[in-house]
Amino acid sequence: MLNEIDLSRVDLNLLVLFEAVLAERHVGRSAERLNLSPSAISHGLGRLRRLLNDPLFLRTPRGVVPTDRAMELAAPVGEILGRVRAVLAVAEPFDPTRSRRRFTVGAPDGVSAVVLPVLLASLRAEAPDVAVSLSQILPVQGDVSPERAWREALAALEARTLDIAILPSDAVPARFAGTRLYEEDFVIALRRGHPYAEDPTLDRYCAMRHLVVSATGDPFGFVDQVLARHGRARHTVSTAPNFLLALALIAETDLVAALPRRFVAAHAARFGVDGVEAPVPLGRFPINAVVPRAAMTDRGLAWLLDRLTSTGCAPS
């Protein structure tokens, strides 16, 4: 974004100012956010315009609007400031009662829906100004190797765009540390009063109309692999991109779906959905909080990992 000559005359506060104006779309509100005067904001914008050779923000009766160049710069400026803040956060003593740090946690939605509500309740009591941004992570499609299925999430950890990744796998390279949160298995979710619940046999299960949770719409999942080993197959009539939508669809139809046990225990009742034991074992999956070993010197990250371990996954 900036060449070496420009770097010698860049004030990092100008990037903070850029971030604020981009978010607020208003000079006055940006000034309040940064505890500066409107004239200081205008002066800083003038320096940025000369530095970047672009107007950046155009005045309107209701505030300012970013130029195309400003929108192009939004992501790289955000990444630069995020990395700087991460460096400073590591260098400073971490006090959860006073910290305003924001952590980014990545997890599949069936895991985050179990862990995040309890974690947020804990943070509200112990660290009221600490924030958690949630990023949904997915396995690489078509890669069945556990070592490679989550490689994009691991790359995000190394790039520090994720602070913690919660993965349903033990297969992580040695440069990462994994902390076991819990083990998960699957139950068969169905609407309350569904006739299958009265006689949940394998024959009847295979004869049911099935819903599969698949972000890509692929109707073939791990349950089909388990059934194939028993010489059986099921009839999948629909897919849903996430587990919460699956609950809503199950509640209004005769569809059944294999869903994580803890997820069902936490959220199914409000939809009028029950869970029954699967007619064949569907396996158990380790749920691990994963961080780069090099990041474990970060006291704030170590604290959040401890919170996840002790409160974010209380046994159901």
Side-chain angles (χ1 to χ4, degrees):
M1 184 178 69
L2 301 171
N3 60 39
E4 292 184 5
I5 296 175
D6 290 328
L7 286 177
S8 66
R9 57 193 176 94
V10 170
D11 179 352
L12 183 62
N13 288 321
L14 293 179
L15 300 187
V16 176
L17 183 149
F18 174 88
E19 179 186 56
V21 177
L22 186 67
E24 298 292 344
R25 302 291 208 272
H26 195 278
V27 169
R29 289 196 297 269
S30 301
E32 292 176 3
R33 175 170 172 168
L34 297 177
N35 197 27
L36 296 172
S37 67
S39 62
I41 297 292
S42 297
H43 177 69
L45 286 177
R47 292 176 61 193
L48 268 175
R49 287 171 177 134
R50 291 189 295 273
L51 184 67
L52 300 174
N53 195 30
D54 188 86
L56 296 177
F57 298 97
L58 304 177
R59 293 186 180 275
T60 74
R62 303 182 66 176
V64 297
V65 294
T67 65
D68 289 345
R69 177 63 172 152
M71 294 305 297
E72 290 174 0
L73 294 173
V77 167
E79 182 178 352
I80 290 168
L81 291 177
R83 288 174 180 258
V84 170
R85 286 165 178 148
V87 169
L88 296 177
V90 173
E92 295 176 355
F94 181 78
D95 180 357
T97 64
R98 302 180 62 182
S99 176
R100 301 181 65 86
R101 185 169 172 184
R102 177 176 296 275
F103 296 94
T104 302
V105 177
D109 73 299
V111 174
S112 58
V114 171
V115 172
L116 193 64
V118 187
L119 175 62
L120 290 179
S122 173
L123 297 189
R124 182 177 182 182
E126 301 177 36
D129 293 323
V130 168
V132 175
S133 294
L134 181 67
S135 175
Q136 182 173 355
I137 56 178
L138 299 168
V140 176
Q141 292 300 312
D143 204 331
V144 297
S145 166
E147 294 81 3
R148 293 184 55 78
W150 300 99
R151 63 182 184 273
E152 292 180 356
L154 298 178
L157 286 174
E158 291 191 303
R160 298 305 299 270
T161 55
L162 285 182
D163 292 301
I164 297 176
I166 306 178
L167 305 177
S169 174
D170 281 326
V172 297
R175 63 185 183 277
F176 295 94
T179 300
R180 179 66 55 87
L181 300 183
Y182 59 92
E183 286 193 350
E184 183 65 283
D185 65 343
F186 280 65
V187 297
I188 308 307
L190 33 68
R191 65 168 176 79
R192 195 160 296 152
H194 195 293
Y196 172 73
E198 300 173 2
D199 185 24
T201 65
L202 180 57
D203 285 342
R204 295 197 68 212
Y205 175 72
C206 292
M208 291 294 105
R209 292 161 54 85
H210 291 257
L211 172 73
V212 171
V213 176
S214 169
T216 63
D218 183 357
F220 189 86
F222 79 95
V223 173
D224 299 284
Q225 296 174 334
V226 172
L227 291 175
R229 291 197 290 268
H230 290 79
R232 310 299 292 267
R234 61 179 175 171
H235 178 41
T236 298
V237 300
S238 184
T239 68
N242 59 66
F243 288 104
L244 284 172
L245 178 57
L247 284 180
L249 293 173
I250 291 167
E252 301 296 332
T253 66
D254 280 335
L255 298 177
V256 301
L259 301 182
R261 182 185 298 273
R262 289 181 184 238
F263 172 79
V264 170
H267 299 288
R270 75 187 70 172
F271 290 89
V273 171
D274 292 326
V276 300
E277 296 297 327
V280 294
L282 298 178
R284 297 185 66 82
F285 300 84
I287 306 297
N288 292 310
V290 178
V291 298
R293 291 190 184 276
M296 289 304 295
T297 57
D298 180 338
R299 293 190 183 96
L301 185 59
W303 172 84
L304 183 63
L305 188 61
D306 180 69
R307 292 297 83 211
L308 274 169
T309 304
S310 61
T311 64
C313 51
S316 57

